[in-house]
């Protein structure tokens, strides 16, 4: 018997083909009023795919923090967030969970608390640790439906790319978001077709030097803008480059969008 669902406030109605209406109290409905705008656009089947999908995001900084918020607000329920750092004052200009009251706290714990305020019934696992050669096996990447790379370390990023592309999961990666001011230059492309990005270039050089390559193609968000720091006083060697929220946020939102389109099977037409 075909069944269709819709909701009116706190009540769910089930309509059968014989037009008999059965009214039932809602029990932790993942398609509640909170997600009705997502459901209207994506549809019931796509929302169920989002609800059932299990994902992991590596790096919850200026890019990753906005990515995870977009995923949860859209309807993703099962999410693991990974970052070894704590909030510092220099994060406040661009990272979602960074405020004057959260400085010193683990990023993933602050972010998890925020996500649970948005979706109290979400399953959010916060892992305050780094992804590297020593910890890689503990993440069991093959268990996930999607994997998002938003980490900075070149060595660890290269390792994550290689291991993630060995799985069947949807995998997307952020290239460098620092030293950018022009949001119109941000775009998405297959990794080997990315142009004008120093981080992508460095990754390709590393893969060729080590003769260890990604197992398959994957999408990246990047910008071909070549900016520079404009501080009048010289920066100490190894200091991070300047970055702005309107750039890092868009990077994160584009990663989330690619994941959502993949899970909801909307890549071929639809949206």
């Amino acid at each position: 018997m075909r069944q269709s669902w819709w909701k009116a406030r706190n009540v769910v109605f089930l309509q059968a083909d014989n037009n008999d209406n059965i009214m039932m109290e809602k029990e932790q409905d993942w398609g509640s009023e909170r997600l009705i705008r997502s459901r209207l656009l994506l549809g019931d089947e796509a929302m169920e795919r989002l609800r059932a999908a299990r994902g992991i995001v590596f790096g919850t900084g200026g890019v990753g923090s906005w990515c995870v918020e977009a995923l949860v607000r859209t309807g993703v329920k099962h999410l693991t967030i990974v970052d070894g750092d704590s909030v510092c004052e220099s994060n406040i200009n661009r990272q979602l969970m960074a405020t004057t009251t959260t400085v010193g706290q683990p990023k993933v714990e602050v972010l998890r608390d925020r996500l649970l305020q948005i979706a109290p019934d979400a399953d959010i696992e916060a892992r305050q640790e780094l992804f590297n050669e020593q910890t890689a096996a503990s993440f069991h990447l093959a268990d996930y439906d999607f994997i998002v790379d938003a980490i900075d370390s070149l060595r660890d990023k290269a390792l994550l790319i290689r291991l993630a592309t060995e799985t069947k999961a949807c995998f997307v990666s952020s290239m460098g978001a620092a030293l950018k001011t022009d949001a119109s230059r941000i775009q998405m492309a297959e990794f080997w077709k990315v142009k004008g990005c120093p981080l992508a270039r460095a990754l390709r050089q590393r893969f060729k030097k080590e003769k260890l390559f990604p197992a398959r193609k994957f999408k990246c968000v990047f910008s071909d803008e070549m900016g520079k720091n404009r501080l009048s006083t010289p920066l100490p060697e190894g200091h991070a480059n300047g970055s702005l929220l309107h750039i890092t946020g868009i990077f994160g939102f584009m990663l989330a969008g690619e994941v959502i389109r993949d899970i909801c099977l909307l890549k071929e037409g639809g949206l």
Side-chain angles (χ1 to χ4, degrees):
M1 179 176 64
R2 182 182 62 83
Q3 298 175 339
S4 60
W5 291 86
W6 74 96
K7 185 186 66 58
R9 296 192 179 181
N10 290 327
V11 176
V12 176
F13 292 89
L14 171 62
Q15 183 182 45
D17 281 340
N18 60 7
N19 292 322
D20 292 328
N21 291 337
I22 304 170
M23 185 172 68
M24 298 176 296
E25 292 298 323
K26 182 179 67 175
E27 296 180 359
Q28 294 289 328
D29 182 16
W30 192 245
S32 65
E33 186 69 22
R34 174 166 48 81
L35 293 173
I36 189 61
R37 297 303 180 96
S38 296
R39 186 175 294 276
L40 284 169
L41 178 61
L42 300 176
D44 291 338
E45 183 178 347
M47 290 301 293
E48 177 58 26
R49 288 178 178 275
L50 286 177
R51 186 202 66 79
R54 295 186 175 274
I56 186 167
V57 177
F58 291 93
T60 59
V63 174
S65 61
W66 299 99
C67 176
V68 299
E69 171 132 342
L71 291 170
V72 171
R73 283 187 182 272
T74 302
V76 170
K77 184 175 182 179
H78 306 286
L79 192 62
T80 299
I81 52 178
V82 183
D83 198 302
D85 292 338
S86 295
V87 178
C88 62
E89 282 193 278
S90 64
N91 300 150
I92 294 175
N93 85 312
R94 70 199 182 284
Q95 299 188 15
L96 178 65
M97 63 287 170
T99 69
T100 56
T101 63
T102 61
V103 170
Q105 299 180 41
K107 289 183 180 180
V108 290
E109 293 184 10
V110 179
L111 188 55
R112 178 191 58 199
D113 292 345
R114 176 180 171 86
L115 296 175
L116 290 175
Q117 290 177 7
I118 296 167
D121 43 357
D123 169 28
I124 308 294
E125 180 183 4
R127 296 183 58 167
Q128 189 188 11
E129 55 187 304
L130 297 174
F131 177 89
N132 53 39
E133 288 185 337
Q134 290 70 44
T135 64
S138 71
F139 290 101
H140 304 288
L141 296 181
D143 293 344
Y144 293 97
D145 298 299
F146 66 87
I147 303 167
V148 176
D149 159 39
I151 58 179
D152 299 323
S153 164
L154 180 65
R155 178 184 59 191
D156 299 336
K157 195 178 196 73
L159 176 63
L160 177 57
I161 288 172
R162 289 197 296 103
L163 295 181
T165 55
E166 291 175 359
T167 73
K168 295 181 180 180
C170 167
F171 173 63
V172 289
S173 178
S174 173
M175 297 294 105
L179 300 178
K180 320 291 184 187
T181 61
D182 185 355
S184 69
R185 304 280 288 272
I186 302 172
Q187 52 195 299
M188 185 78 72
E190 197 281 318
F191 172 70
W192 294 101
K193 295 181 179 179
V194 172
K195 297 180 179 179
C197 175
L199 179 55
R201 186 183 309 115
L203 283 165
R204 289 193 289 259
Q205 290 173 348
R206 187 180 187 93
F207 291 141
K208 292 174 182 178
K209 180 179 179 180
E210 296 179 345
K211 293 184 169 56
L212 295 170
F213 297 93
R216 57 180 167 89
K217 295 180 178 180
F218 61 96
K219 289 283 192 71
C220 299
V221 60
F222 73 101
S223 169
D224 59 5
E225 181 183 3
M226 303 293 287
K228 63 180 181 179
N229 292 310
R230 291 179 170 83
L231 194 66
S232 57
T233 56
L235 291 171
E237 186 175 352
H239 193 280
N241 289 312
S243 52
L244 299 173
L245 171 57
H246 74 280
I247 299 294
T248 64
I250 293 174
F251 268 59
F253 292 145
M254 289 184 69
L255 291 175
E258 188 68 17
V259 168
I260 291 164
R261 285 165 57 80
D262 185 89
I263 293 173
C264 296
L265 304 179
L266 294 171
K267 283 191 170 182
E268 301 298 329
L271 291 184

